[in-house]
């Protein structure tokens, strides 16, 4: 799998369209993502600490092990399904309550893919 590792910390990406973008392991810490379109984006292991996701659209986004510590979001933030949010780490308590996600006991397990032999 190709890695993104984009370094976009503190970037101002207000209302940018990033549908389906490969943002694996991207550093989006403290980025201004107000109203950004991230439908279907791959945010696997992305660093989103402190990012502003107000009015952002994350429907169908891959949040596997994405770090959601101290993110800002509002009632207009559109999230993927509850099972996809639950795979993120450091999920804010308000988001846990909104989607009825239990406190994480350990890191989520990544789905196994068949080996290519």
């Amino acid at each position: 799998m190709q890695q993104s590792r984009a370094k976009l910390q503190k970037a101002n990406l207000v209302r940018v369209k990033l549908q389906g973008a490969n943002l694996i392991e991207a550093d989006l810490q403290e980025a201004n993502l107000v109203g950004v379109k991230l439908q279907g984006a791959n945010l696997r292991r992305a660093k989103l600490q402190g990012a502003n996701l107000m009015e952002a659209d994350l429907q169908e986004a891959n949040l596997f092990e994405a770090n959601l510590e101290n993110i800002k979001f509002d009632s207009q933030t559109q999230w993927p399904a509850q099972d996809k949010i639950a795979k993120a780490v450091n999920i804010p308590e308000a988001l846990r309550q909104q989607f009825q996600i239990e406190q994480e006991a350990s890191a989520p397990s990544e789905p196994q893919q068949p080996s290519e032999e």
Side-chain angles (χ1 to χ4, degrees):
M1 181 182 308
Q2 190 165 0
Q3 301 295 317
S4 160
R5 296 188 182 161
K7 302 216 182 289
L8 298 166
Q9 64 270 28
K10 297 186 180 183
N12 186 5
L13 300 172
V14 174
R15 307 217 187 283
V16 171
K17 295 179 181 177
L18 295 169
Q19 295 101 321
N22 178 9
L23 295 168
I24 296 170
E25 296 184 8
D27 188 345
L28 293 158
Q29 294 179 79
E30 297 181 28
N32 187 356
L33 302 172
V34 171
V36 73
K37 305 292 183 198
L38 286 162
Q39 301 105 315
N42 192 347
L43 292 162
R44 183 173 179 248
R45 295 190 178 125
K47 297 172 184 167
L48 292 162
Q49 298 97 310
N52 186 344
L53 293 167
M54 292 186 179
E55 300 177 29
D57 188 345
L58 294 113
Q59 295 178 78
E60 300 301 320
N62 177 1
L63 295 176
F64 182 80
E65 292 185 353
N67 192 334
L68 304 181
E69 184 176 8
N70 296 322
I71 59 167
K72 297 171 188 75
F73 62 96
D74 60 13
S75 63
Q76 293 184 26
T77 303
Q78 297 179 44
W79 296 99
Q82 184 258 12
D83 62 318
K84 290 190 177 196
I85 298 169
K87 292 178 181 175
V89 296
N90 298 320
I91 302 167
E93 186 58 34
L95 193 57
R96 284 187 180 286
Q97 290 177 7
Q98 181 179 340
F99 285 92
Q100 300 176 343
I101 299 170
E102 293 184 23
Q103 189 69 19
E104 58 207 76
S106 61
S109 59
E110 188 165 8
Q112 295 295 318
Q113 296 188 1
S115 61
E116 296 177 15
E117 292 184 25

